Amino acid sequence: MVNPVLVEVTRGALVESRHRGMIAVADAAGGLVYAAGDIEAAVFPRSACKAIQALPLVESGAADAYDFGNREIALSASSHSGEDAHAALAAEMLGRAGRGVEDLECGAHWSFQQPVLIHQARTREMPDALCNNCSGKHAGFVCACCHQGIDPKGYTGYDHPLQAQIREAMADVTGALVGTDVCGVDGCNIPTYAVPLKALARGFARMATGEGLSPTRARAARRIIDAAMAEPYYVAGTGRACTALMEMAPGRIFAKTGAEGVFCAVLPEQGLGIALKCEDGTTRAAEAMVAAVLARLLADDAALSERLRLMADSGLKNWNGTDVGRVRAVLP
Amino acid sequence: MVNPVLVEVTRGALVESRHRGMIAVADAAGGLVYAAGDIEAAVFPRSACKAIQALPLVESGAADAYDFGNREIALSASSHSGEDAHAALAAEMLGRAGRGVEDLECGAHWSFQQPVLIHQARTREMPDALCNNCSGKHAGFVCACCHQGIDPKGYTGYDHPLQAQIREAMADVTGALVGTDVCGVDGCNIPTYAVPLKALARGFARMATGEGLSPTRARAARRIIDAAMAEPYYVAGTGRACTALMEMAPGRIFAKTGAEGVFCAVLPEQGLGIALKCEDGTTRAAEAMVAAVLARLLADDAALSERLRLMADSGLKNWNGTDVGRVRAVLP
């Protein structure tokens, strides 16, 4: 099937570019509340499923053993901007397990956020692995290993015991088959598994409600979701969409972006999970799409819904500050 | 019509993202040599038509009066990376007309290229208008005004005499109607006109062959195309696609990118113009598309064609240098 146009980018009176995609909104039983495009398609969730990947850290007792609060747990499920506070907290997490930056296997990169990159360029010769947007997740991985007596060396490999735990959690939460045939290597070197978009939506509904999960897993899932909602800055950073969405409605919206135009979200009050992908992998479109679908689902709260609609239909300015067009969601 | 998928982004064994788009290859008479997608669609050429926008500078005699060589003319048709050499040459061009950075109306921005941005962050408090990727074009605009005795103030406005000259050139070269109904404001604040993709392709064929253009315009057009091919670094910059394509086959390929996934190119030997747009506005796809279509058109040169194919099907590595997938053109 051809996915529908879900976002238009306008310039003057014309549509300049178009983004197609698919959206699934499901409850924990898999009942669909909203669907657009091919929601059966297998999608790499990339970083949008970091909350699921953080389950072993909490379930194993490692988070408690190392006295992790909301900030540390939020960072373990984050794609942070590499701000100094993010890198420092990742280092502190590693330190609690007697480990350090040398144990991270995620690689290093300069921040994707221009203001942060400018700051880094002025204060560092080169970025280290703590600056990697995944360093909090990887610090959590190292801590999960150490607490369980597993040697963290090689923890990013498909055959490492930690990745087996993550794979089991991913399969259990989403109900999808995850193995080598749907496996790719993610930007931070760990395996990523393509799962049907509707299974991902249902999985996030289960993360919030605990339905269908073991009591231990249900508690861990809700703790991760709650920690992210309590500390949205540590899930992304200054000016980022995930942070803005969660700050808009404290405790009522969980939202997490992933590379290549993926977004997952949860409405805990309604027990709904949301998973979406922009077909072409563009972040600006995924952000407009998630804001638009949240605005619909939260229509009962007029003020909140209006703020979400502003994010789903935002103005484009040029270098002189002139209004030149819009990025607007056009959901069917 | 639904535009075909022209570029696939793979991860492991799966296709992760897809880019749709349209491509037109035409001769100066408008005869189509290759077409994919909706080539009747009106497309904002954005910076891909800077060679056309530079016509008044050369036709008016300003380029000669200010002793501009290939570098200056190439920069006047460039979207440069803001490297020090680019900013310095834009300043020098303005100086030849007794003008300076304060006359530029393009606004200022940090470089879009990470290595250049890092250098700028370490050597500047803030970027100025000379760092704007369009500063060479704007320096050319200011010079074109000064030589013709036109006050450059307000030269970015639709009603300014310089924009009227550019509009006339755009209509003449492409044969399309350009006016307020197809006008948007570009990133650097000048008017941009949406024209049918096939008209843009034909227009670039005419820029190379001069067919259908007045003798003065034909000479100016070829001089701009030749200057860009002679000094590709001044059209874009280090590591950029336009520069790489023109360096691959000196004097045989002209190529110029535009925002929102546009690319225009010329094969002077064959008298062909190429215009393409990725529907969703993504640069990685437009680059793969232009390389793929050039590889086909230059198939007689096996070595060159192979280099172009490598650019049309390039590997993706993650932060650890692991191969994770490809960005590959899949032209029908």
Side-chain angles (χ1 to χ4, degrees), chain B residues 54 57-58 61-76 89-97 136-144 147 223 227:
Chain B
L57 171 71
V58 178
D64 285 332
Y66 299 124
D67 200 24
F68 287 174
N70 285 337
R71 288 188 175 188
E72 291 82 0
I73 293 175
L75 197 73
S76 75
L89 187 57
E92 196 188 320
M93 289 169 67
L94 287 164
R96 301 241 193 116
K137 178 177 78 170
H138 281 249
F141 287 169
V142 170
C143 290
H147 177 69
R223 185 162 167 205

Side-chain angles (χ1 to χ4, degrees), chain A residues 11 17 121-122 185 260 318, chain B residues 11 17 121-122 185 189 260:
Chain A
R11 183 165 299 268
S17 298
R122 289 172 173 168
V185 177
E260 292 294 326
N318 70 8
Chain B
R11 183 166 298 268
S17 298
R122 288 171 174 169
V185 178
N189 234 26
E260 291 295 326

Side-chain angles (χ1 to χ4, degrees), chain B residues 151-174:
Chain B
D151 182 358
K153 192 168 169 52
Y155 70 84
T156 54
Y158 186 93
D159 294 323
H160 189 277
L162 180 75
Q163 294 305 328
Q165 291 178 359
I166 292 171
R167 196 153 52 240
E168 184 279 324
M170 189 74 188
D172 179 50
V173 169
T174 64

Side-chain angles (χ1 to χ4, degrees), chain B residues 236-253:
Chain B
T238 308
R240 296 273 305 281
C242 297
T243 301
L245 287 165
M246 291 192 279
E247 283 178 349
M248 240 180 244
R252 299 178 61 201
I253 296 174

Side-chain angles (χ1 to χ4, degrees), chain B residues 203-218:
Chain B
F204 270 94
R206 296 170 76 174
M207 288 288 284
T209 64
E211 206 176 309
L213 305 180
S214 73
T216 301
R217 177 152 290 167

Side-chain angles (χ1 to χ4, degrees), chain A residues 318-322 324, chain B residues 105-106 138 156-157 185-191:
Chain A
N318 70 8
W319 307 115
N320 275 319
T322 307
V324 293
Chain B
E105 299 180 6
C106 50
H138 281 249
T156 54
V185 178
D186 213 325
C188 65
N189 234 26
I190 70 162

Side-chain angles (χ1 to χ4, degrees), chain A residues 2-330:
Chain A
V2 176
N3 289 312
V5 173
L6 298 179
V7 176
E8 293 176 342
V9 180
T10 67
R11 183 165 299 268
L14 305 181
V15 176
E16 181 169 24
S17 298
R18 292 172 175 81
H19 297 281
R20 297 170 183 276
M22 49 271 208
I23 304 175
V25 182
D27 61 27
L32 283 171
V33 171
Y34 178 84
D38 182 9
I39 63 167
E40 312 281 340
V43 164
F44 285 115
R46 308 292 302 275
S47 292
C49 73
K50 277 179 175 167
I52 301 173
Q53 294 169 334
L55 285 168
L57 171 72
V58 177
E59 290 175 359
S60 68
D64 285 333
Y66 298 124
D67 201 23
F68 287 175
N70 285 337
R71 288 189 174 186
E72 290 83 358
I73 293 175
L75 196 73
S76 75
S78 77
S79 299
H80 63 70
S81 296
E83 298 176 51
D84 290 344
H86 298 131
L89 187 57
E92 196 188 319
M93 288 168 67
L94 287 164
R96 303 240 191 117
R99 299 285 177 157
V101 60
E102 65 280 5
D103 293 295
L104 295 177
E105 299 180 5
C106 49
H109 65 78
W110 295 102
S111 177
F112 305 137
Q113 306 308 116
Q114 192 189 76
V116 182
L117 171 52
I118 290 167
H119 172 72
Q120 287 178 335
R122 289 172 173 168
T123 55
R124 297 172 179 273
E125 185 61 34
M126 288 291 287
D128 64 16
L130 292 167
C131 300
N132 186 308
N133 78 92
C134 301
S135 71
K137 177 177 78 169
H138 281 249
F141 287 169
V142 171
C143 290
C145 290
C146 290
H147 177 68
Q148 296 179 87
I150 300 168
D151 182 357
K153 193 169 168 51
Y155 71 84
T156 54
Y158 186 93
D159 294 323
H160 189 277
L162 179 75
Q163 294 305 329
Q165 291 178 358
I166 291 170
R167 197 153 52 239
E168 185 277 326
M170 190 73 190
D172 180 50
V173 169
T174 64
L177 294 170
V178 298
T180 52
D181 55 327
V182 293
C183 183
V185 177
D186 213 323
C188 64
N189 235 26
I190 70 163
T192 176
Y193 308 98
V195 297
L197 196 70
K198 67 175 188 183
L200 199 55
R202 187 181 74 149
F204 271 93
R206 296 170 78 175
M207 288 288 285
T209 64
E211 207 176 307
L213 305 180
S214 74
T216 301
R217 177 151 291 166
R219 272 194 306 275
R222 189 58 197 242
R223 185 162 167 204
I224 295 165
I225 297 292
D226 286 346
M229 293 192 295
E231 294 287 353
Y233 169 79
Y234 287 93
V235 178
T238 308
R240 295 274 305 281
C242 297
T243 301
L245 287 166
M246 292 192 278
E247 284 178 348
M248 239 181 245
R252 300 178 61 201
I253 296 174
F254 166 87
K256 180 71 192 74
T257 191
E260 292 294 326
V262 178
F263 236 108
C264 289
V266 170
L267 293 176
E269 292 167 332
Q270 301 185 38
L272 295 177
I274 300 157
L276 61 85
K277 178 174 167 77
C278 171
E279 178 183 271
D280 56 68
T282 302
T283 298
R284 67 178 177 188
E287 291 177 355
M289 285 157 65
V290 74
V293 73
L294 287 169
R296 284 198 189 195
L297 297 167
L298 293 163
D300 283 351
D301 184 333
L304 173 57
S305 190
E306 179 58 22
R307 291 187 67 188
L308 289 162
R309 270 194 297 271
L310 287 173
M311 194 167 159
D313 182 357
S314 56
L316 281 175
K317 289 185 190 295
N318 70 8
W319 307 115
N320 275 319
T322 307
D323 291 313
V324 293
R326 308 198 69 77
V327 177
R328 66 181 181 210
V330 288

